[in-house]
Every structure is written in structure tokens, then in C-alpha cells.
């Protein structure tokens, strides 16, 4: 609502919102030099540096790459100065970026084929286990829940890719919709459920060893609560914490290590116990 320049994605890097008369500086994006992974931004308004911004003066002295700036004028953003090619030493004839795109597309195609194959195989197994009554027992019920968790995990990957990467030239810096956040919550829930049903498989075998006779059906209720309930609690807590303390982007990046352990901790714990 204030007069100024809105945040912008120029298909190369992000430009934070600024007021008229401000100069915004950004470092050369990592795509120009894959070795350099740190990036930041700084708003310089009449020589004043705002709290929370990165101090680019020190990092620039240590980095072979330069800085690019844009002026926020009454007519909007100015052209970048100096140009990306000049500041970042980028050669238009280089094909490294194209090779990188090809690499990521190849990886995506590979895991898409893998998850699709897994989805078909697991669906077939589920039909067989559900169709024949002679196969209905506690052990196979646990297997079926594990298969469902694998199926949901594959489906969640397809949904995540469809939402996050539907548009190649989308605004990846400022995308922060309820839809994409809900997809990430669903994705993490499916992954956690997958690990916890693997844990249930081990727990069931352990129960067979320590108890010769035990009410399997009663135990199965607890297995269900652990397998589907524990991930629900952990992912809900993680989502609430992200909403209040790290509500940035689409929640697909986990830069806050403490919050990420809300999901990673129980998963690692279940693996160790198994």
C-alpha cells in the first residue's frame, strides 16, 4: 500500500521491496558460480544500513563476484547496474547453466519413473491382499498399512512437483500460498507415516518374540495409533511452529535447524529403535 517498488523476481535473482529513493544491492546469484552458496541483500538509504540485512561490504571483499544494484524511482525499478554479465563474469557462450538444467530434469524424470513403478506395484499388492480373505491377518494388515504409506508418499511427491514446479518461470522467491504450504505439510506427513509403519513392522516382530500368546487385534489398534497418529502430532506441531516462527516461502526450505528436528528427530529415533 506504500509508495515504492514491490518485491520482484527478474528470472535471475530476488529484489526485496524498497521505497522511492532507495538503492538495493544484491550479490551475484549462485548460479553464476556454484562454489559460492551464500547470498544476501542490503538496502542503502542515504548511507543507512537496516537491521537484519546482510553486510555485503565484507563478503564482497572476499568474493571474486561483484554486486548488482537497482534504484527504486518514481517510475519503478531501474535497470540493474552493472549488468549481470559484467558484475558476475558470466559468459553468454557458456553452457553450464543448460547442463545443470538438463541434470535436474534427468533426476526428476528418473525418480518420477521410479515412484510410478512403485505406485503400480503397491496398488497391485493391495488389491491382492484385499481380495483374498485367507490373507487377512494382523501381519498382512500391518503390511497393507505400510503399502498405503508408500502409496501416499509417491502421490505426495507428484502433487508437490505439480504445485511447486508447475511453472518454470514462476516467482520462486515470494511464492507463499496456503495451497503450497498444505502440500508440504501433506508431503512431510506421508514421509513420517512411511517411517513409522516401518517401525511398526519391527515392533510387531519383536512382540512375537517376547510374547508367545498375545491379543493381536488389540495390539493392532495401538499400531494404528502409532503409525498414523504420531506423524499427525509431529507434523501439526511443525506446521504451527513454522507458521509462527519461520513463515517464509512455501515451507519447502528448512533453514531453521531447530524446527526441522521436530520432524527429523522422531524419524531418526524410529530408525534407531527399529
Amino acid at each position: 500500500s506504500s509508495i515504492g517498488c514491490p518485491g520482484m523476481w527478474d528470472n535471475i535473482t530476488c529484489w526485496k521491496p524498497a521505497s522511492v529513493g532507495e538503492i538495493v544491492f544484491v550479490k551475484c546469484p549462485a548460479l553464476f558460480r556454484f562454489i559460492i552458496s551464500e547470498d544476501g541483500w542490503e538496502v542503502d538509504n542515504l548511507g543507512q544500513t537496516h537491521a537484519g540485512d546482510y553486510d555485503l561490504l565484507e563478503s564482497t571483499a572476499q568474493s571474486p563476484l561483484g554486486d548488482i544494484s537497482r534504484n527504486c524511482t518514481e517510475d519503478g525499478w531501474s535497470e540493474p547496474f552493472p549488468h549481470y554479465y559484467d558484475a558476475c563474469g558470466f559468459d553468454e557462450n557458456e553452457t553450464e547453466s543448460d547442463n545443470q538444467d538438463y541434470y535436474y530434469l534427468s533426476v526428476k524424470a528418473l525418480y518420477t519413473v521410479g515412484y510410478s513403478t512403485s505406485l503400480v506395484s503397491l496398488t497391485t499388492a493391495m488389491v491382492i491382499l484385499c481380495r483374498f480373505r485367507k490373507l487377512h491377518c494382523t501381519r498382512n494388515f500391518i503390511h497393507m498399512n505400510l503399502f498405503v504409506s508408500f502409496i501416499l508418499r509417491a502421490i505426495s511427491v507428484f502433487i508437490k512437483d505439480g504445485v511447486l514446479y508447475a511453472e518454470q518461470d514462476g516467482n520462486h522467491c515470494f511464492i507463499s500460498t496456503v495451497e503450497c504450504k498444505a502440500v508440504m505439510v501433506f508431503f512431510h506427513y506421508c514421509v513420517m507415516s512411511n517411517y513409522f509403519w516401518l517401525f511398526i513392522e519391527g515392533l510387531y516382530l519383536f512382540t512375537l518374540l517376547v510374547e508367545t500368546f498375545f491379543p493381536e487385534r488389540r495390539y493392532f489398534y495401538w499400531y494404528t495409533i502409532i503409525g498414523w497418529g504420531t506423524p499427525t502430532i509431529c507434523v501439526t506441531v511443525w506446521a504451527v511452529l513454522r507458521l509462527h516462527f519461520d513463515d517464509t516461502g512455501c515451507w519447502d526450505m528448512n533453514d531453521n535447524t531447530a524446527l526441522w528436528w521436530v520432524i527429523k528427530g522422531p524419524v531418526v529415533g524410529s530408525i534407531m529403535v527399529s
Side-chain angles (χ1 to χ4, degrees), residues 138 211 214-223:
T138 300
E211 294 188 36
F214 69 97
E216 291 190 354
R217 186 170 297 276
R218 189 187 69 182
Y219 273 75
F220 182 72
Y221 293 144
W222 285 106
Y223 296 153

Side-chain angles (χ1 to χ4, degrees), residues 144-162:
M144 291 167 67
N145 278 274
L146 178 63
F147 293 171
V148 169
S149 70
F150 273 114
I151 292 173
L152 291 176
R153 181 170 182 169
I155 293 175
S156 68
V157 170
F158 296 145
I159 296 176
K160 178 171 66 71
D161 285 353

Side-chain angles (χ1 to χ4, degrees), residues 142-212:
I142 294 176
H143 294 339
M144 291 167 67
N145 278 274
L146 178 63
F147 293 171
V148 169
S149 70
F150 273 114
I151 292 173
L152 291 176
R153 181 170 182 169
I155 293 175
S156 68
V157 170
F158 296 145
I159 296 176
K160 178 171 66 71
D161 285 353
V163 172
L164 294 182
Y165 311 121
E167 299 180 6
Q168 296 296 331
D169 58 347
N171 192 334
H172 298 290
C173 294
F174 303 101
I175 179 174
S176 181
T177 63
V178 176
E179 179 187 24
C180 72
K181 292 176 181 178
V183 168
M184 291 307 303
V185 170
F186 176 66
F187 170 73
H188 287 305
Y189 172 76
C190 294
V191 172
M192 283 201 71
S193 300
N194 195 194
Y195 280 106
F196 270 88
W197 276 105
L198 287 170
F199 165 72
I200 294 300
E201 290 276 357
L203 183 62
Y204 174 73
L205 295 177
F206 173 76
T207 306
L208 290 179
L209 291 175
V210 298
E211 294 188 36
T212 306

Side-chain angles (χ1 to χ4, degrees), residues 27-274:
K27 293 170 60 177
C28 284
L31 67 91
F32 292 113
R33 291 292 183 271
F34 293 104
I35 300 177
I36 300 177
S37 59
E38 297 180 357
D39 57 357
W41 60 280
E42 178 185 34
V43 176
D44 183 9
N45 183 15
L46 300 179
Q48 298 179 356
T49 302
H50 300 282
D53 301 338
Y54 291 100
D55 186 357
L56 298 183
L57 298 179
E58 296 180 1
S59 61
T60 302
Q62 301 173 356
S63 173
L65 304 181
D67 294 342
I68 306 100
S69 65
R70 283 181 186 266
N71 297 342
C72 180
T73 67
E74 295 180 355
D75 298 327
W77 288 106
S78 66
E79 291 297 320
F81 178 82
H83 197 275
Y84 287 108
Y85 298 141
D86 299 326
C88 305
F90 180 71
D91 186 359
E92 293 185 73
N93 296 324
E94 291 182 357
T95 59
E96 186 175 15
S97 179
D98 293 336
N99 292 336
Q100 199 74 3
D101 291 341
Y102 178 76
Y103 167 76
Y104 286 122
L105 289 175
S106 300
V107 172
K108 182 179 179 181
L110 184 62
Y111 75 67
T112 299
V113 172
Y115 274 117
S116 299
T117 305
S118 177
L119 193 59
V120 173
S121 302
L122 290 167
T123 303
T124 304
M126 283 294 297
V127 171
I128 294 174
L129 290 174
C130 292
R131 178 67 179 81
F132 298 98
R133 287 184 172 275
K134 292 183 178 180
L135 298 178
H136 291 184
C137 62
T138 300
R139 180 189 62 191
N140 285 338
F141 286 154
I142 294 176
H143 294 339
M144 291 167 67
N145 278 274
L146 178 63
F147 293 171
V148 169
S149 70
F150 273 114
I151 292 173
L152 291 176
R153 181 170 182 169
I155 293 175
S156 68
V157 170
F158 296 145
I159 296 176
K160 178 171 66 71
D161 285 353
V163 172
L164 294 182
Y165 311 121
E167 299 180 6
Q168 296 296 331
D169 58 347
N171 192 334
H172 298 290
C173 294
F174 303 101
I175 179 174
S176 181
T177 63
V178 176
E179 179 187 24
C180 72
K181 292 176 181 178
V183 168
M184 291 307 303
V185 170
F186 176 66
F187 170 73
H188 287 305
Y189 172 76
C190 294
V191 172
M192 283 201 71
S193 300
N194 195 194
Y195 280 106
F196 270 88
W197 276 105
L198 287 170
F199 165 72
I200 294 300
E201 290 276 357
L203 183 62
Y204 174 73
L205 295 177
F206 173 76
T207 306
L208 290 179
L209 291 175
V210 298
E211 294 188 36
T212 306
F213 302 100
F214 69 97
E216 291 190 354
R217 186 170 297 276
R218 189 187 69 182
Y219 273 75
F220 182 72
Y221 293 144
W222 285 106
Y223 296 153
T224 304
I225 293 174
I226 295 174
W228 298 114
T230 305
T232 301
I233 296 174
C234 295
V235 173
T236 301
V237 172
W238 174 81
V240 172
L241 293 176
R242 283 297 299 256
L243 185 64
H244 286 84
F245 299 106
D246 192 19
D247 190 15
T248 57
C250 191
W251 296 0
D252 55 327
M253 304 297 292
N254 297 289
D255 297 328
N256 192 319
T257 305
L259 297 184
W260 183 224
W261 272 102
V262 175
I263 289 179
K264 188 165 62 174
V267 169
V268 174
S270 69
I271 295 173
M272 297 300 296
V273 174
S274 294

